[in-house]
């Protein structure tokens, strides 16, 4: 398997050198393999001058992250085509996030989608990223899931949401900030007019968090998707959400799956409400008339 990964990376480097217009994405799974830091850096160096490449997912080990983050940042400065960057489960710490945040603040990268989930850099790293993004005008999608975020960072995320940055998609799932965090995010959602997708799954928000979002939904007219699956929500929270859907006619997807306390009949009610013909007509374009369940869900385990 290691030899296959190394061979794949060498082929990727060759295609980048050739500036192959059909080679637009690659998943660099370097962690737990025999891929050397030198080979990773060679890939990043060649990527600087490529004019077609758009999507890169990287999985670093701790040692690789320590030695390759600086070359990666240099590449982000020079490459003008990369749009989607995934740095998920790379064991990034605060000191790795700090220069990335400074770079994002300059608008130098062309990145519009940044996934940085599963790095456990906590509140301090999250605050650094958000501070860098305050002056960024290009990023539209940010995944901060599974980073050990607590109320300190959640309040900063809420302030960021309320500021109505260009951000359209935000994922803060798998951070156990509970109902208190959900209440803060819901308050920001009332003032937000830019987000179309918000993911708050596996955050232990319970009925209290669900009710907070239910109170916010009638005041928001831009959100299309709210994912709050596996959150310990029961009948009370689901009922509040169902009532909110009668006042909010723009939400197209409300994912409450894997909340065992919600009766199946009530989940069906929510689905039927989202797909009611009158609601779909009020929502607008023909593109929005597909059943809500056809919208892709986040991966689950």
């Amino acid at each position: 398997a290691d030899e296959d990964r190394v061979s794949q990376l060498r082929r990727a480097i060759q295609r980048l050198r050739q500036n192959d217009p059909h080679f637009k994405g690659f998943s660099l799974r370097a962690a737990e393999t025999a891929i050397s830091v030198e080979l990773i850096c060679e890939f990043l160096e060649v990527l600087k001058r490529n004019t077609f490449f758009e999507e890169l997912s990287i999985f670093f080990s701790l040692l690789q992250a320590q030695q390759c983050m600086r070359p990666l940042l240099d590449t982000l400065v020079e490459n003008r085509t990369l749009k989607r960057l995934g740095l998920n489960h790379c064991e990034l710490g605060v000191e790795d996030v700090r220069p990335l945040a400074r770079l994002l603040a300059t608008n130098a990268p062309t990145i519009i989608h940044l996934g940085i989930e599963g790095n456990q850099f906590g509140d301090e790293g999250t605050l650094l990223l958000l501070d860098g993004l305050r002056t960024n005008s290009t990023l539209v999608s940010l995944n901060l899931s599974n980073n050990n975020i607590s109320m300190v960072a959640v309040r900063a995320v809420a302030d960021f949401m309320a500021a109505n940055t260009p951000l359209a998609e935000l994922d803060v799932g798998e951070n156990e900030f509970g109902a208190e965090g959900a209440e803060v995010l819901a308050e920001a959602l009332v003032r937000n007019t830019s987000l179309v997708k918000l993911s708050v799954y596996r955050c232990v928000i319970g009925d209290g968090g669900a009710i907070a979002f239910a109170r916010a939904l009638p005041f928001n007219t831009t959100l299309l998707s709210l994912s709050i699956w596996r959150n310990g929500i029961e009948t009370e929270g689901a009922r509040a959400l169902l009532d909110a859907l009668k006042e909010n006619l723009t939400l197209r997807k409300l994912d409450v799956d894997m909340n065992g306390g919600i009766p199946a009949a009530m989940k069906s009610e929510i689905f039927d409400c989202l797909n009611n013909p009158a609601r779909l007509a009020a929502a607008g374009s023909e593109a929005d008339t597909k059943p809500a369940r056809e919208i892709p869900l986040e991966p689950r385990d």
Side-chain angles (χ1 to χ4, degrees), residues 8-37:
Q8 289 170 6
L9 182 54
R10 291 191 185 280
R11 286 196 295 271
I13 291 171
Q14 183 63 27
R15 295 185 72 179
L16 287 175
R17 280 206 176 97
Q18 295 169 346
N19 208 24
D20 182 349
H22 303 292
F23 186 50
K24 296 188 176 183
F26 186 68
S27 180
L28 177 50
R29 295 182 173 271
E32 300 179 0
T33 69
I35 294 176
S36 68
V37 168

Coordinates of all heavy atoms in Angstrom, one line a residue, residues 8-37:
Q8 N 1.6 6.8 -6.8 CA 0.5 7.8 -7.1 C 1.0 9.2 -7.0 O 0.7 10.1 -7.8 CB -0.7 7.6 -6.2 CG -1.4 6.3 -6.5 CD -2.5 6.0 -5.4 OE1 -2.7 6.8 -4.5 NE2 -3.1 4.8 -5.5
L9 N 1.8 9.5 -5.9 CA 2.3 10.8 -5.7 C 3.3 11.2 -6.8 O 3.3 12.3 -7.3 CB 2.9 11.0 -4.3 CG 3.5 12.4 -4.0 CD1 2.4 13.4 -4.1 CD2 4.0 12.4 -2.5
R10 N 4.2 10.3 -7.2 CA 5.1 10.5 -8.3 C 4.4 10.8 -9.6 O 4.8 11.7 -10.3 CB 6.1 9.4 -8.4 CG 7.1 9.2 -7.2 CD 8.2 8.2 -7.6 NE 9.0 8.0 -6.4 CZ 10.0 8.8 -6.0 NH1 10.2 9.9 -6.7 NH2 10.7 8.5 -5.0
R11 N 3.3 10.1 -9.9 CA 2.6 10.3 -11.1 C 1.9 11.7 -11.0 O 1.8 12.4 -12.0 CB 1.5 9.2 -11.3 CG 2.1 7.9 -11.7 CD 1.0 7.0 -12.3 NE 0.1 6.6 -11.3 CZ 0.2 5.5 -10.5 NH1 1.3 4.8 -10.6 NH2 -0.7 5.3 -9.6
A12 N 1.4 12.1 -9.8 CA 0.8 13.4 -9.7 C 1.8 14.5 -9.9 O 1.5 15.5 -10.6 CB 0.2 13.5 -8.3
I13 N 3.0 14.3 -9.4 CA 4.1 15.3 -9.6 C 4.3 15.5 -11.1 O 4.5 16.6 -11.6 CB 5.3 14.9 -8.9 CG1 5.1 15.1 -7.4 CG2 6.5 15.8 -9.3 CD1 6.2 14.5 -6.5
Q14 N 4.4 14.3 -11.8 CA 4.7 14.4 -13.3 C 3.6 15.1 -14.0 O 3.8 15.9 -14.9 CB 4.8 13.0 -13.8 CG 5.2 12.9 -15.3 CD 6.5 13.5 -15.6 OE1 7.4 13.6 -14.8 NE2 6.7 14.0 -16.8
R15 N 2.3 14.9 -13.7 CA 1.2 15.5 -14.3 C 1.2 17.0 -14.0 O 0.8 17.8 -14.9 CB -0.1 14.9 -13.9 CG -0.2 13.4 -14.4 CD -1.6 12.8 -14.0 NE -2.6 13.4 -14.9 CZ -3.9 13.0 -14.8 NH1 -4.3 12.1 -13.9 NH2 -4.8 13.6 -15.7
L16 N 1.6 17.4 -12.8 CA 1.7 18.8 -12.5 C 2.8 19.5 -13.3 O 2.6 20.6 -13.8 CB 1.9 19.0 -11.0 CG 0.8 18.7 -10.0 CD1 1.3 18.8 -8.6 CD2 -0.4 19.6 -10.3
R17 N 3.9 18.8 -13.5 CA 5.0 19.4 -14.3 C 4.5 19.6 -15.7 O 4.9 20.5 -16.4 CB 6.2 18.4 -14.2 CG 7.0 18.5 -13.0 CD 8.5 18.1 -13.3 NE 9.3 18.3 -12.1 CZ 9.6 17.4 -11.2 NH1 9.1 16.2 -11.3 NH2 10.3 17.7 -10.1
Q18 N 3.7 18.6 -16.2 CA 3.2 18.7 -17.6 C 2.1 19.8 -17.7 O 1.7 20.0 -18.8 CB 2.8 17.4 -18.0 CG 3.9 16.3 -18.1 CD 3.3 14.9 -18.3 OE1 2.1 14.7 -18.2 NE2 4.2 14.0 -18.7
N19 N 1.7 20.3 -16.6 CA 0.5 21.2 -16.6 C -0.7 20.6 -17.3 O -1.3 21.3 -18.1 CB 0.9 22.6 -17.2 CG 0.1 23.7 -16.6 OD1 -0.4 23.6 -15.5 ND2 0.0 24.8 -17.4
D20 N -0.9 19.4 -16.9 CA -2.0 18.6 -17.6 C -3.4 19.3 -17.2 O -3.8 19.4 -16.1 CB -2.0 17.2 -17.0 CG -3.1 16.3 -17.6 OD1 -4.0 16.8 -18.3 OD2 -3.1 15.1 -17.3
P21 N -4.1 19.8 -18.2 CA -5.4 20.5 -18.0 C -6.5 19.6 -17.4 O -7.5 20.1 -16.9 CB -5.7 21.0 -19.4 CG -5.1 20.1 -20.4 CD -3.8 19.7 -19.7
H22 N -6.3 18.3 -17.5 CA -7.3 17.4 -17.0 C -7.0 16.9 -15.6 O -7.8 16.3 -15.0 CB -7.4 16.1 -17.9 CG -7.7 16.4 -19.3 ND1 -8.9 16.9 -19.7 CD2 -6.9 16.3 -20.5 CE1 -8.9 17.1 -21.0 NE2 -7.7 16.8 -21.5
F23 N -5.9 17.3 -15.0 CA -5.5 16.9 -13.7 C -5.8 18.1 -12.8 O -5.1 19.1 -12.6 CB -4.0 16.6 -13.6 CG -3.6 16.1 -12.3 CD1 -4.2 15.1 -11.7 CD2 -2.4 16.6 -11.7 CE1 -3.8 14.6 -10.4 CE2 -2.0 16.1 -10.4 CZ -2.7 15.1 -9.8
K24 N -7.0 18.0 -12.1 CA -7.5 19.2 -11.3 C -7.6 18.9 -9.8 O -8.0 19.8 -9.1 CB -8.8 19.6 -11.9 CG -8.7 20.2 -13.3 CD -10.0 20.8 -13.8 CE -9.8 21.4 -15.2 NZ -11.0 22.1 -15.6
G25 N -7.4 17.6 -9.4 CA -7.5 17.4 -8.0 C -6.8 16.1 -7.6 O -6.5 15.2 -8.4
F26 N -6.4 16.1 -6.3 CA -5.6 15.0 -5.8 C -5.7 14.9 -4.3 O -5.8 16.0 -3.6 CB -4.1 15.2 -6.1 CG -3.2 14.0 -5.8 CD1 -3.3 12.8 -6.4 CD2 -2.3 14.2 -4.7 CE1 -2.5 11.8 -6.1 CE2 -1.4 13.1 -4.4 CZ -1.6 11.9 -5.1
S27 N -5.8 13.7 -3.7 CA -5.8 13.4 -2.3 C -4.4 12.9 -1.9 O -4.1 11.8 -2.2 CB -6.9 12.4 -2.0 OG -6.9 12.2 -0.6
L28 N -3.7 13.7 -1.1 CA -2.4 13.4 -0.7 C -2.4 12.8 0.7 O -2.4 13.4 1.7 CB -1.5 14.7 -0.7 CG -0.1 14.5 -0.1 CD1 0.7 13.4 -0.8 CD2 0.7 15.9 -0.4
R29 N -2.5 11.4 0.7 CA -2.7 10.7 2.0 C -1.3 10.3 2.4 O -0.9 9.1 2.2 CB -3.6 9.5 1.8 CG -5.0 9.9 1.5 CD -6.0 8.7 1.3 NE -7.3 9.2 1.2 CZ -8.2 9.4 2.2 NH1 -7.7 9.2 3.4 NH2 -9.4 9.8 2.0
A30 N -0.6 11.2 3.1 CA 0.8 11.0 3.5 C 0.9 10.3 4.8 O 1.9 9.7 5.1 CB 1.5 12.3 3.4
A31 N 0.0 10.6 5.7 CA 0.0 10.0 7.1 C 0.1 8.5 7.1 O -0.6 7.9 6.3 CB -1.2 10.5 7.9
E32 N 0.9 8.0 8.0 CA 1.0 6.5 8.1 C 1.4 5.8 6.9 O 1.1 4.7 6.6 CB -0.3 5.9 8.6 CG -0.8 6.5 10.0 CD -2.1 6.0 10.4 OE1 -2.7 5.1 9.7 OE2 -2.6 6.4 11.5
T33 N 2.2 6.5 6.1 CA 2.8 5.8 4.9 C 4.3 6.1 4.8 O 4.8 6.9 5.6 CB 2.2 6.4 3.6 OG1 2.6 7.7 3.4 CG2 0.7 6.3 3.6
A34 N 5.0 5.5 3.8 CA 6.4 5.7 3.7 C 6.7 7.0 2.8 O 7.9 7.1 2.4 CB 7.0 4.5 3.1
I35 N 5.7 7.8 2.5 CA 6.0 9.0 1.7 C 6.9 9.9 2.5 O 6.6 10.3 3.6 CB 4.7 9.7 1.4 CG1 3.8 8.8 0.4 CG2 4.9 11.0 0.7 CD1 2.5 9.3 0.1
S36 N 8.0 10.3 1.9 CA 8.9 11.2 2.5 C 8.5 12.6 2.5 O 7.8 13.1 1.6 CB 10.3 11.0 1.9 OG 10.3 11.6 0.6
V37 N 9.0 13.4 3.5 CA 8.8 14.8 3.5 C 9.4 15.5 2.2 O 8.7 16.4 1.7 CB 9.5 15.4 4.7 CG1 9.5 17.0 4.7 CG2 8.7 15.0 6.0

